[in-house]
Amino acid sequence: MAQSTLSVILLIFNCFLFIESVPTPLETPVRYDGAQLWNVDLSDEQTRQMVFDLENEFDVSFWSTSHAEADMFLKKSAIESVRQILNKNNIEYSVRVDDMQKRIEEESSQLYGEESLYGNNNKSLTWDAYYSFDDILLFLDKLVEKYPNLCSLETIGYSHENRPLKVLKISNGNSGNKAIWIDGGIHAREWISPASVTYIVNDLVENWNNQPAYIQNVNWYVLPVHNPDGYEYTRKSDRMWRKNRSKNNNNHCLGVDLNRNYGYKWGGKGTSSNPCSEIYAGSGPFSEPESTAVKNFVETSEENFDAFLTFHSYGQWILYPWGYENHIPTEDRDDLDSAGRQAAKSMKAVDKQVYTVGNSADLLYAAAGGSDDWGKSVGIKYSYTIELRDKGRYGFVLPPKYILATAKEAHAFVFTFAQIIAAN
Ligand code: 0X9
Ligand code: ZN
């Protein structure tokens, strides 16, 4: 009797051992069947409060909000209850995407996987599909190989999961050049950002000899994917992931919002100290390797950067500091505003799309710890967050057919800026 009890105990114990030693299976991708994207009217303060409170009770999140409207992403389970509440309170809304899973599947049928660069024999990116992080690295390597006198790559650090943070420097080596920083992909799900940044880089380099002096006399520093772990996670596991993939001291929720982790006014408005929040600011300013790498690089660089341009999506906004608090203008607000407007004009010339220019806390919401505010705080005059397409028709899951036109808008933005800086 005692022996059989013992063997049962041993058996159970062995089972645990076995479970422990089984490698964790590859995560199955998160599905968004029946999830919808709604655009909700925020006509007054009371409505605004009521709408934002929905997040506490239902499975909804807010993607792109301005003072006038909010894009609300609803899991299927939340739809009926939220619909009833909005109807009862006469709050107007329209459905923009009626099944997010379908959108994701359409998009992923046009993804380029790990082998694509060579698989489809292009040996370059094509801006008609979204590429893996490895493909983007390969693309950068190829540029350096092809133009060694113009381009160089520096690994400025490693992500939490050990992916390299590679900055491409493009420079003719002249002394007295201006210096411009560009980054993309700080938010994982904003795929149009790295896609557009690689387009800009490609045009700069491939057409270098025909570029105007205001482009050639700049030292360009470009980090196409600021958050590679998050980016790969959105490709393989959860298309809607925003943060990096930090372990957060073994809390059950992963990830820090890198655009709340920069050190200027860290932990202020529009941030969260809850690791499960989408806007978790991290355990302290620059607690993350990805943000620290950029900080160290910019701070130790010999350059006095003239511009700090960070590409996001979506909403078609050109935003300048301060973002940490409402109604606090920078002392050179008029310069930032008029340069932004010039850039918006050149973007509109591409494909008639309107980009709205303004202070980010006023146009959207106050949010501290952003990279743009940090860039401004260390003395970089032209510091902007550019929210690329669209205006909420597809949100983050922007169909690949819009990549090229959007990338050309980002390109127009950068070229206008280089021109403005050259004249200063
Ligand atoms: O909230 C953000 O981080 C940015 N919008 S996004 O939808 N791409 O997440 C806006 C950041 C604006 N800048 C600051 N608040 N500093
Ligand atoms: Zn973003």
Side-chain angles (χ1 to χ4, degrees), residues 169-171 174-182 214-222 297-298 301-309 379-383 414 417-418 421-422:
K169 179 177 179 185
I170 307 166
S171 171
N174 288 358
S175 61
N177 279 354
K178 303 284 182 182
I180 296 182
W181 169 270
I182 297 175
Y214 66 79
I215 293 292
Q216 291 185 343
N217 296 330
V218 172
N219 296 339
W220 299 90
Y221 295 87
V222 187
F297 179 76
V298 170
S301 162
E302 296 161 356
E303 304 283 2
N304 281 320
F305 283 94
D306 297 280
F308 186 93
L309 310 177
I380 304 175
K381 173 162 178 158
Y382 291 106
S383 180
V414 167
F417 257 90
I421 285 162

Side-chain angles (χ1 to χ4, degrees), residues 336-350:
L336 291 170
D337 198 74
S338 82
R341 276 170 212 288
Q342 267 189 69
K345 207 169 149 195
S346 69
M347 293 167 98
K348 193 173 176 189
V350 172

Side-chain angles (χ1 to χ4, degrees), residues 242-260:
R242 166 182 170 95
K243 304 185 281 182
N244 75 351
R245 295 292 297 160
S246 255
K247 295 281 181 293
N248 294 337
N249 246 331
N250 293 328
N251 184 290
H252 64 282
C253 291
L254 268 60
V256 169
D257 182 350
L258 293 173
N259 211 33
R260 301 292 181 275

Side-chain angles (χ1 to χ4, degrees), residues 145-180:
E145 205 180 292
K146 202 165 159 196
Y147 303 102
N149 298 328
L150 184 61
C151 300
S152 57
L153 270 176
E154 184 181 339
T155 300
I156 64 164
Y158 290 86
S159 69
H160 187 79
E161 291 172 352
N162 237 9
R163 292 187 176 85
L165 301 165
K166 290 200 180 185
V167 168
L168 179 73
K169 179 177 179 185
I170 307 166
S171 171
N172 59 11
N174 288 358
S175 61
N177 279 354
K178 303 284 182 182
I180 296 182

Side-chain angles (χ1 to χ4, degrees), residues 186-187 190 242 312-313 387:
I186 190 171
H187 285 143
E190 299 168 7
R242 166 182 170 95
H312 289 243
S313 72
E387 302 275 2

